[in-house]
Coordinates of all heavy atoms in Angstrom, one line a residue:
R852 N 130.6 -32.9 121.8 CA 130.6 -32.9 123.3 C 131.8 -33.5 123.9 O 132.4 -33.2 124.9 CB 129.3 -33.3 123.8 CG 129.2 -33.5 125.3 CD 129.4 -32.1 126.1 NE 128.6 -31.0 125.5 CZ 128.7 -29.8 125.8 NH1 129.7 -29.4 126.7 NH2 127.9 -28.9 125.4
D853 N 132.2 -34.8 123.4 CA 133.2 -35.7 123.8 C 134.5 -34.9 123.7 O 135.4 -34.9 124.6 CB 133.3 -36.9 123.1 CG 132.0 -37.8 123.5 OD1 131.6 -37.6 124.6 OD2 131.9 -38.9 122.6
V854 N 134.7 -34.2 122.5 CA 135.9 -33.5 122.3 C 136.1 -32.4 123.2 O 137.1 -32.1 123.7 CB 136.0 -33.1 120.8 CG1 137.2 -32.2 120.5 CG2 136.1 -34.4 119.8
E855 N 135.0 -31.7 123.4 CA 135.0 -30.4 124.2 C 135.3 -30.8 125.6 O 136.1 -30.1 126.2 CB 133.6 -29.8 124.1 CG 133.6 -28.3 125.0 CD 132.4 -27.7 124.7 OE1 132.0 -27.4 123.7 OE2 131.8 -27.3 125.7
D856 N 134.8 -31.9 126.1 CA 135.0 -32.3 127.4 C 136.4 -32.9 127.7 O 137.1 -32.6 128.7 CB 133.9 -33.3 128.0 CG 132.7 -32.8 128.1 OD1 132.6 -31.5 128.1 OD2 131.6 -33.5 128.3
E857 N 136.8 -33.6 126.6 CA 138.0 -34.4 126.9 C 139.4 -33.6 126.4 O 140.4 -33.7 127.1 CB 138.1 -35.7 126.1 CG 137.4 -36.9 126.8 CD 138.1 -37.2 128.2 OE1 139.3 -37.4 128.2 OE2 137.4 -37.3 129.2
E858 N 139.2 -32.9 125.3 CA 140.5 -32.4 124.7 C 140.6 -31.0 124.8 O 141.8 -30.5 124.7 CB 140.4 -32.9 123.2 CG 140.6 -34.2 122.9 CD 140.6 -34.7 121.5 OE1 140.8 -33.8 120.7 OE2 140.2 -35.8 121.1
L859 N 139.7 -30.2 125.1 CA 139.9 -28.8 125.0 C 139.6 -28.0 126.3 O 139.7 -26.8 126.4 CB 138.7 -28.2 124.0 CG 138.8 -28.7 122.6 CD1 137.7 -28.1 121.7 CD2 140.1 -28.6 121.9
T860 N 139.4 -28.8 127.4 CA 139.2 -28.0 128.7 C 140.2 -28.4 129.7 O 140.1 -27.8 130.7 CB 137.8 -28.3 129.3 OG1 137.7 -29.8 129.5 CG2 136.7 -27.9 128.4
R861 N 141.1 -29.4 129.4 CA 142.0 -29.8 130.4 C 143.5 -29.5 130.0 O 143.9 -29.5 128.8 CB 142.0 -31.5 130.4 CG 142.2 -31.9 131.8 CD 141.8 -33.3 131.9 NE 142.4 -34.2 131.0 CZ 143.2 -35.2 131.2 NH1 143.6 -35.4 132.4 NH2 143.6 -36.0 130.2
I862 N 144.1 -28.7 130.8 CA 145.6 -28.3 130.5 C 146.5 -29.0 131.4 O 146.2 -29.5 132.5 CB 145.7 -26.9 130.6 CG1 145.7 -26.4 132.1 CG2 144.8 -26.1 129.8 CD1 146.0 -24.9 132.3
F863 N 147.7 -29.2 131.0 CA 148.8 -29.9 131.7 C 149.9 -28.8 131.9 O 150.3 -28.1 131.0 CB 149.3 -30.9 130.5 CG 150.3 -32.0 131.2 CD1 149.8 -32.9 132.1 CD2 151.6 -32.0 130.9 CE1 150.6 -33.8 132.5 CE2 152.4 -32.9 131.4 CZ 152.0 -33.9 132.2
V864 N 150.5 -28.9 133.1 CA 151.3 -27.8 133.6 C 152.5 -28.3 134.3 O 152.4 -29.4 135.1 CB 150.6 -26.7 134.4 CG1 149.6 -26.0 133.5 CG2 150.0 -27.3 135.6
M865 N 153.6 -27.7 134.3 CA 154.9 -27.9 135.1 C 154.8 -27.1 136.3 O 154.8 -25.9 136.0 CB 156.0 -27.7 134.1 CG 157.3 -28.2 135.1 SD 158.7 -28.0 133.9 CE 158.5 -29.2 132.6
I866 N 154.9 -27.6 137.5 CA 154.7 -26.7 138.8 C 155.8 -27.1 139.6 O 156.5 -28.3 139.6 CB 153.3 -27.1 139.3 CG1 153.2 -28.6 139.7 CG2 152.3 -26.6 138.6 CD1 151.9 -29.0 140.3
P867 N 156.1 -26.5 140.7 CA 157.0 -26.7 141.8 C 156.6 -27.9 142.6 O 155.4 -28.2 142.7 CB 157.1 -25.5 142.8 CG 156.7 -24.3 141.7 CD 155.6 -25.0 140.9
K868 N 157.5 -28.7 142.8 CA 157.1 -30.1 143.5 C 156.5 -29.8 144.9 O 155.8 -30.7 145.6 CB 158.3 -30.9 143.7 CG 158.8 -31.6 142.4 CD 159.9 -32.5 142.5 CE 160.3 -33.1 141.2 NZ 161.3 -34.2 141.4
S869 N 156.6 -28.5 145.4 CA 156.0 -28.2 146.7 C 154.4 -27.9 146.7 O 153.8 -27.8 147.6 CB 156.8 -27.0 147.4 OG 156.5 -25.9 146.5
Y870 N 154.0 -27.7 145.5 CA 152.5 -27.3 145.3 C 151.7 -28.3 145.6 O 151.8 -29.5 145.4 CB 152.3 -27.1 143.8 CG 152.6 -25.6 143.3 CD1 153.5 -24.8 143.9 CD2 151.8 -24.9 142.1 CE1 153.5 -23.5 143.6 CE2 152.0 -23.7 141.8 CZ 152.9 -22.9 142.5 OH 153.1 -21.6 142.0
T871 N 150.5 -27.9 146.3 CA 149.4 -28.7 146.6 C 148.3 -28.6 145.5 O 148.4 -27.6 144.8 CB 148.9 -28.5 148.1 OG1 148.3 -27.1 148.0 CG2 149.9 -28.7 149.1
E872 N 147.3 -29.4 145.6 CA 146.2 -29.2 144.7 C 145.5 -27.7 144.8 O 145.1 -27.0 143.9 CB 145.1 -30.2 144.7 CG 145.7 -31.6 144.2 CD 144.8 -32.7 144.2 OE1 143.6 -32.4 144.7 OE2 145.0 -33.8 143.9
E873 N 145.5 -27.3 146.2 CA 145.0 -26.0 146.5 C 145.7 -24.9 146.0 O 145.2 -23.8 145.5 CB 144.8 -25.8 148.1 CG 143.9 -24.7 148.5 CD 142.6 -24.7 147.9 OE1 142.0 -25.7 147.7 OE2 142.1 -23.5 147.5
D874 N 147.1 -25.0 146.1 CA 148.0 -24.0 145.3 C 147.7 -23.8 144.0 O 147.8 -22.9 143.4 CB 149.4 -24.4 145.7 CG 149.8 -24.4 147.2 OD1 149.3 -23.5 147.9 OD2 150.8 -25.1 147.5
L875 N 147.6 -25.1 143.2 CA 147.4 -25.2 141.8 C 146.1 -24.4 141.5 O 146.1 -23.5 140.6 CB 147.4 -26.6 141.4 CG 147.3 -26.8 139.9 CD1 148.5 -26.1 139.2 CD2 147.4 -28.3 139.6
R876 N 145.1 -24.7 142.3 CA 143.8 -24.1 142.0 C 143.8 -22.6 142.2 O 143.3 -21.8 141.4 CB 142.8 -24.7 142.9 CG 141.3 -24.1 142.8 CD 140.3 -24.6 143.8 NE 140.1 -26.1 143.6 CZ 139.2 -26.6 142.7 NH1 138.4 -25.6 142.0 NH2 139.0 -27.8 142.5
E877 N 144.5 -22.2 143.2 CA 144.7 -20.7 143.6 C 145.4 -20.0 142.3 O 145.0 -18.8 142.0 CB 145.5 -20.6 144.9 CG 145.6 -19.0 145.4 CD 144.1 -18.6 145.8 OE1 143.3 -19.5 146.2 OE2 143.9 -17.3 145.7
K878 N 146.4 -20.6 141.8 CA 147.1 -19.9 140.8 C 146.5 -19.8 139.3 O 146.6 -18.9 138.6 CB 148.6 -20.7 140.5 CG 149.5 -20.7 141.6 CD 150.1 -19.3 141.7 CE 151.1 -19.2 142.8 NZ 151.7 -17.9 142.9
F879 N 145.4 -20.7 139.1 CA 144.9 -20.8 137.9 C 143.5 -20.5 137.8 O 142.7 -20.4 136.8 CB 145.0 -22.3 137.3 CG 146.3 -22.4 136.6 CD1 147.4 -22.9 137.5 CD2 146.7 -22.2 135.3 CE1 148.7 -23.1 137.1 CE2 147.9 -22.3 134.8 CZ 149.0 -22.8 135.6
K880 N 142.8 -20.1 139.1 CA 141.4 -19.9 139.0 C 140.9 -18.4 138.4 O 139.8 -18.3 138.1 CB 140.9 -19.8 140.6 CG 141.4 -18.8 141.5 CD 140.9 -18.8 142.9 CE 141.4 -17.7 143.7 NZ 140.8 -17.7 145.0
M881 N 142.0 -17.7 138.4 CA 141.7 -16.3 137.8 C 141.4 -16.3 136.3 O 140.8 -15.4 135.7 CB 143.0 -15.4 137.9 CG 144.2 -15.9 137.0 SD 145.7 -14.8 137.3 CE 146.1 -15.1 139.0
Y882 N 141.6 -17.5 135.6 CA 141.4 -17.7 134.2 C 140.1 -18.3 133.9 O 139.7 -18.2 132.7 CB 142.4 -18.5 133.5 CG 143.9 -18.0 133.8 CD1 144.7 -18.7 134.6 CD2 144.2 -16.8 133.4 CE1 146.0 -18.3 134.9 CE2 145.6 -16.3 133.7 CZ 146.4 -17.0 134.4 OH 147.6 -16.6 134.7
G883 N 139.4 -18.7 135.0 CA 138.0 -19.4 134.6 C 137.6 -20.4 135.7 O 138.2 -20.5 136.7
D884 N 136.4 -20.9 135.6 CA 135.9 -21.8 136.6 C 136.5 -23.2 136.5 O 136.4 -23.8 135.5 CB 134.2 -22.0 136.3 CG 133.6 -20.6 136.4 OD1 133.9 -19.8 137.4 OD2 132.8 -20.3 135.6
I885 N 137.1 -23.7 137.5 CA 137.9 -25.0 137.5 C 136.8 -26.0 138.1 O 136.5 -25.9 139.0 CB 139.1 -24.7 138.4 CG1 140.1 -23.8 137.8 CG2 139.8 -26.1 138.6 CD1 141.4 -23.4 138.7
E886 N 137.0 -27.1 137.2 CA 136.2 -28.3 137.7 C 137.0 -29.1 138.6 O 136.5 -29.4 139.6 CB 135.8 -29.1 136.4 CG 134.8 -30.2 136.8 CD 134.4 -30.9 135.4 OE1 134.3 -30.3 134.4 OE2 134.1 -32.1 135.5
Y887 N 138.2 -29.2 138.2 CA 139.1 -29.9 139.3 C 140.6 -29.7 138.9 O 141.0 -29.4 137.8 CB 138.8 -31.5 139.3 CG 139.4 -32.3 138.1 CD1 140.6 -32.6 137.8 CD2 138.3 -32.7 137.1 CE1 140.9 -33.3 136.7 CE2 138.7 -33.3 135.9 CZ 140.0 -33.7 135.8 OH 140.4 -34.2 134.6
C888 N 141.5 -29.9 139.9 CA 142.9 -30.0 139.9 C 143.5 -31.2 140.4 O 142.9 -31.8 141.2 CB 143.5 -28.7 140.5 SG 143.0 -27.0 140.1
S889 N 144.5 -31.8 139.7 CA 145.2 -33.0 140.2 C 146.7 -32.8 139.9 O 147.1 -32.3 139.1 CB 144.6 -34.1 139.5 OG 144.8 -34.0 138.2
I890 N 147.4 -33.4 140.8 CA 148.8 -33.3 140.8 C 149.4 -34.8 140.6 O 148.9 -35.7 141.2 CB 149.5 -32.9 142.2 CG1 149.2 -31.2 142.2 CG2 151.0 -33.0 142.1 CD1 149.7 -30.6 143.4

């Protein structure tokens, strides 16, 4: 459970500096249910 939560569900991405967290969520929500986004 620790591994699934920590290592396999969080991705790291390179984005335009103009992106907000809402922009990030909008771009990646099509792939699944997002728990949170952070910049």
Side-chain angles (χ1 to χ4, degrees):
R852 174 57 54 187
D853 291 339
V854 172
E855 182 173 309
D856 287 349
E857 277 297 313
E858 298 181 17
L859 305 178
T860 58
R861 214 163 54 112
I862 68 172
F863 190 71
V864 295
M865 185 179 292
I866 55 176
K868 291 186 177 181
S869 60
Y870 268 31
T871 63
E872 290 182 1
E873 191 56 40
D874 293 329
L875 188 56
R876 179 182 294 273
E877 189 65 27
K878 292 291 183 181
F879 283 87
K880 69 179 183 181
M881 69 180 73
Y882 307 114
D884 300 317
I885 294 176
E886 185 172 333
Y887 69 77
C888 296
S889 62
I890 292 176

